[in-house]
Amino acid sequence: MKKIVMPFAVVCFTALTFVACKKDTKTPAQDEISDATLSQIKNMGFSTENARKVDGGYLVEGDIILTDENLSTPSSSPTLLIAKEEQYRTTNLVTRLPRVITISVTNLPTVYSQATDEAINRYNALNGQLTFVRATAGTVGNIDIFGFNQGPSGGYITLGSSGFPTSGGDPYNQVKMNTNQYAYGTNPDLNYVASVIQHELGHCIGFRHTDYMDRSYSCGGRRVNEEKPKSGYGAILIPGTPSTPDAESFMLACSNGGNRTFNANDVKAMDVLY
């Protein structure tokens, strides 16, 4: 999958993952994480390459935040494998269905608010057991979308980040969207921003990256396989959807720079889970 090339940056969900011509295997950011924590991350099936400590936990794969709870909660679910045709989810899912999830947008330009409405409409059009609505004005929703400003690094730029549901069955409560001009340009395209928000909300309700086994499929560069999880947490396979990289899936690790929404297999995955 080709990616949009900026003047000096490739637009990518899993930014900061590939750094060309770098020989040392441990970045300064990784020095902030103990070997024990790196081992937990690896055992759960997540890449430790360029993992770094951030507010709320540890940023892995460029856009996924793992909390201490994520790392300390063992999986109670088996790995589901049916005919080798699956996508991937995490151990924790949103529970107490059917359920309405409120979403707020805090201190972001209007296009981000409009894009949030579009992402909500895309999910609600599936008529599943999860319904997304905007939170009442002046209140913080179950998921709050807010901004950060971070420029390109190593030829990639982070578009957004989020995390996974809690062990109590609640969605991850934050989506961070990059307001740097090199993320979406000076005049962001609404559908493009909506596609990123849709992707990050996918993590919030328990989706892993579709190209979990080989992020070079959507991100380009050298092949990078995730570690095979020793528990079911890292990547539990969803029956009925491809285990191989799925073209145009909304949960591909890297953006194609355009409008990407649910494809047929994404719809199947949502139907299985919600």
Side-chain angles (χ1 to χ4, degrees), residues 1 12 32 44-45 62 118 121 135 149 154 166-167 173 175 180 193 196 208 227 233 237 262 264 267:
M1 181 67 63
C12 181
E32 302 174 9
M44 287 184 169
E118 173 61 22
N121 290 337
N149 190 321
T166 68
S167 59
N173 64 358
V175 170
N180 189 274
V193 179
V196 178
R208 282 288 313 258
E227 296 291 336
Y233 185 87
L237 304 172
F262 303 109
V267 173

Side-chain angles (χ1 to χ4, degrees), residues 99-157:
R99 186 167 177 179
V100 176
I101 296 175
T102 60
I103 300 179
S104 54
V105 179
T106 302
N107 298 327
L108 280 170
T110 299
V111 67
Y112 290 84
S113 180
Q114 295 171 335
T116 297
D117 290 336
E118 173 61 22
I120 288 173
N121 290 337
R122 294 178 183 186
Y123 275 99
N124 291 347
L126 299 180
N127 295 314
Q129 296 188 78
L130 283 184
T131 302
F132 295 87
V133 299
R134 288 293 293 266
T136 303
T139 66
V140 177
N142 303 130
I143 301 173
D144 187 37
I145 301 175
F146 59 94
F148 70 101
N149 190 321
Q150 183 181 77
S153 177
Y156 293 83
I157 188 165

Side-chain angles (χ1 to χ4, degrees), residues 1 3 10 12 14 18 156 211 215-221 253-254:
M1 181 67 63
K3 302 174 292 296
V10 179
C12 181
T14 53
F18 308 110
Y156 293 83
D211 49 346
R215 280 179 291 149
S216 69
Y217 179 80
S218 68
C219 298
C254 288

Side-chain angles (χ1 to χ4, degrees), residues 52-254:
R52 58 191 177 95
K53 189 170 177 59
V54 295
D55 290 341
Y58 308 93
L59 187 70
V60 301
E61 299 184 22
D63 78 326
I64 297 171
I65 296 175
L66 296 178
T67 65
D68 288 328
E69 181 194 21
N70 293 149
L71 296 179
S72 63
T73 303
S75 171
S76 60
S77 302
T79 298
L80 304 176
L81 181 59
I82 301 177
K84 298 185 181 297
E85 293 183 352
E86 288 82 23
Q87 285 173 296
Y88 302 91
R89 70 169 175 88
T90 59
T91 297
N92 298 332
L93 296 174
V94 177
T95 59
R96 302 187 297 281
L97 304 175
R99 186 167 177 179
V100 176
I101 296 175
T102 60
I103 300 179
S104 54
V105 179
T106 302
N107 298 327
L108 280 170
T110 299
V111 67
Y112 290 84
S113 180
Q114 295 171 335
T116 297
D117 290 336
E118 173 61 22
I120 288 173
N121 290 337
R122 294 178 183 186
Y123 275 99
N124 291 347
L126 299 180
N127 295 314
Q129 296 188 78
L130 283 184
T131 302
F132 295 87
V133 299
R134 288 293 293 266
T136 303
T139 66
V140 177
N142 303 130
I143 301 173
D144 187 37
I145 301 175
F146 59 94
F148 70 101
N149 190 321
Q150 183 181 77
S153 177
Y156 293 83
I157 188 165
T158 300
L159 297 176
S161 66
S162 57
F164 295 133
T166 68
S167 59
D170 294 318
Y172 189 76
N173 64 358
Q174 295 180 345
V175 170
K176 298 179 181 180
M177 295 293 290
N178 198 352
T179 58
N180 189 274
Q181 64 173 323
Y182 289 105
Y184 303 100
T186 56
N187 185 28
D189 177 76
L190 188 151
N191 283 324
Y192 180 25
V193 179
S195 297
V196 178
I197 292 174
Q198 179 182 346
H199 175 100
E200 298 303 336
L201 290 176
H203 287 315
C204 289
I205 62 174
F207 278 91
R208 282 288 313 258
H209 289 139
T210 306
D211 49 346
Y212 153 82
M213 76 301 297
D214 180 11
R215 280 179 291 149
S216 69
Y217 179 80
S218 68
C219 298
R222 65 183 178 84
R223 180 183 176 92
V224 175
N225 291 324
E226 307 297 350
E227 296 291 336
K228 182 178 180 180
K230 295 180 180 178
S231 70
Y233 185 87
I236 298 175
L237 304 172
I238 303 173
T241 57
S243 59
T244 54
D246 186 13
E248 296 304 313
S249 168
F250 86 117
M251 290 309 298
L252 285 173
C254 288

